[in-house]
Amino acid sequence: MAEKLLEPVAYSRLGQVGARTPLVIAVPHAGRHYPRDLLAAARLPLEALETIEDRHADLLIADAVHAGAVAIVARMARAFVDLNRDEREIDPTILAKAPAPGTLLPSIKVSGGLGVVPSRIAAGGQVWKCPFAAGAIEARLALAHRPYHAAIVAALDEAHAAHGVAILLDCHSMPSIAGPAPGLGPQIVIGDRHGRSAAARFVGVAARTARLTGLRVALNSPYAGGHTLDRHGRPKAGRHAMQIEIDRALYLDETQRDPGPGLAMARRTLASIAAALIDEAGGHAIAAE
C-alpha cells in the first residue's frame, strides 16, 4: 500500500517562548487530523479509528499552559502513527515485504495490534485494506513521529538549561477501570516505568496532589508508561518523565465523544499537579486561574 502524504501536521507547541518553568507537557494520542489518504487506505470508518484516540485529552492542559507550562501536542491521529511507541514496534503482518531479521521490536502492544502504526483495534479488527509498501511506514515516521519527539527534546533542553532540571508530564486519558467494588477503581494512574524514568519525589508529589482533590490514584498499574518515558526520562541527568492517565468519565460526557461538565475541574486538577511539580523542582509554581 503506497501513500501520498499530505502537508506535514505533526504537532503544536503551546506556551510562551522559552522555559518559564521546568515543566513540559506532552499529549501524544489526542490528535484529530486524519489525512484523506489514510481514510482511503483504512478498511474501517472514521468513527472506528477515533476509538483509539485519547479523546480531547488536549483540552485538559489548557490551565497549566496558560499559567506557564510548555506543551507539545500531537495533531496527527493515532491511527496514522502512535507517538508513544518505538519506531521498531511494527506488526509484520501489515508489511508487504518481510522485514530483515532483528529489525523489528516485538512487544505486548504490537501483539495486541497497537504498534507504531496500529494494525487492528477492538472497534473493528484489521485496520488496513492492504499491506504497506516499502517506505510507507518510514514516511509516516519522518512526517510525524520524529518531529514530535524532536520538539519534546528541544523543550526539555530549554527547561534544563534555564532551571537545572526538566520534568516531562506525558498526558493520556483512559477508560474507567474496575475496582474492588463498583465506583472504587483508580481515576488517575501515574506511571514512572516502576521508578526508572523519574525521581520518586516528583512521582510522590504528583500522586499526593491528585489525592488531595479527592480522586482515587494508582501508581504504575495498569499503566506504567511507554516509549516516551523510556526515551526522555533520564533522572540521573536531571530529566524526569512520568505519565498521567486520567479517567475519561471525569471530563467527557456520557457519549465519551464530547467534553462534559467535569472538564473545568479536570483542567484545574492537572494544573494543580503541574504547580506541585514545579514547586518540588524549586521553580516558580504555577496555579490554575
Side-chain angles (χ1 to χ4, degrees):
M1 176 172 59
E3 288 187 309
K4 180 182 178 183
L5 298 175
L6 303 180
E7 181 181 352
V9 187
Y11 65 89
S12 295
R13 186 187 190 278
L14 308 179
Q16 297 184 9
V17 175
R20 284 180 54 194
T21 78
L23 182 66
V24 177
I25 299 173
V27 188
H29 289 161
R32 293 186 287 277
H33 182 67
Y34 289 84
R36 278 176 287 181
D37 291 331
L38 178 150
L39 296 175
R43 59 170 292 273
L44 302 178
L46 174 61
E47 292 75 16
L49 299 176
E50 288 176 333
T51 62
I52 62 171
E53 294 178 7
D54 283 353
R55 190 77 174 175
H56 295 301
D58 53 319
L59 301 181
L60 294 168
I61 68 172
D63 289 356
V65 171
H66 179 71
V70 166
I72 308 299
V73 181
R75 295 182 63 191
M76 198 68 79
R78 187 181 183 184
F80 182 83
V81 66
D82 191 326
L83 301 168
N84 199 31
R85 300 288 180 268
D86 189 287
E87 292 189 12
R88 299 166 295 166
E89 287 185 87
I90 300 171
D91 184 344
T93 66
I94 65 172
L95 300 176
K97 182 179 178 181
T103 58
L104 302 187
L105 181 64
S107 70
I108 294 175
K109 295 296 185 181
V110 171
S111 63
L114 293 177
V116 71
V117 173
S119 57
R120 64 185 182 279
I121 61 177
Q126 297 295 327
V127 176
W128 310 109
K129 295 175 182 176
C130 303
F132 286 90
I137 291 181
E138 169 64 24
R140 291 189 179 200
L141 297 172
L143 183 68
H145 194 281
R146 291 169 194 154
Y148 172 81
H149 284 284
I152 291 175
V153 170
L156 291 173
D157 285 348
E158 290 177 358
H160 193 272
H163 302 280
V165 63
I167 306 167
L168 178 66
L169 187 61
D170 195 35
C171 185
H172 297 252
S173 69
M174 64 183 184
S176 297
I177 299 173
L184 292 182
Q187 296 162 297
I188 287 183
V189 179
I190 297 171
D192 66 348
R193 304 301 281 164
H194 299 282
R196 297 194 301 273
S197 67
R201 65 189 181 102
F202 291 120
V203 178
V205 77
R208 287 194 299 273
T209 302
R211 290 189 178 108
L212 286 173
T213 68
L215 296 176
R216 299 183 296 275
V217 180
L219 298 179
N220 288 308
S221 180
Y223 305 106
H227 172 67
T228 298
L229 270 55
D230 289 338
R231 181 165 181 168
H232 300 290
R234 299 288 183 272
K236 292 183 179 179
R239 293 169 182 256
H240 306 268
M242 66 184 73
Q243 177 176 288
I244 184 167
E245 296 268 4
I246 299 175
D247 187 342
R248 292 173 195 146
L250 293 175
Y251 72 94
L252 293 180
D253 65 10
E254 293 181 357
T255 71
Q256 296 282 289
R257 287 189 54 82
D258 298 312
L263 175 61
M265 181 171 288
R267 285 169 51 165
R268 290 194 295 270
T269 296
L270 190 64
S272 296
I273 293 169
L277 289 169
I278 304 275
D279 188 57
E280 183 66 24
H284 301 291
I286 63 176
E289 295 182 355

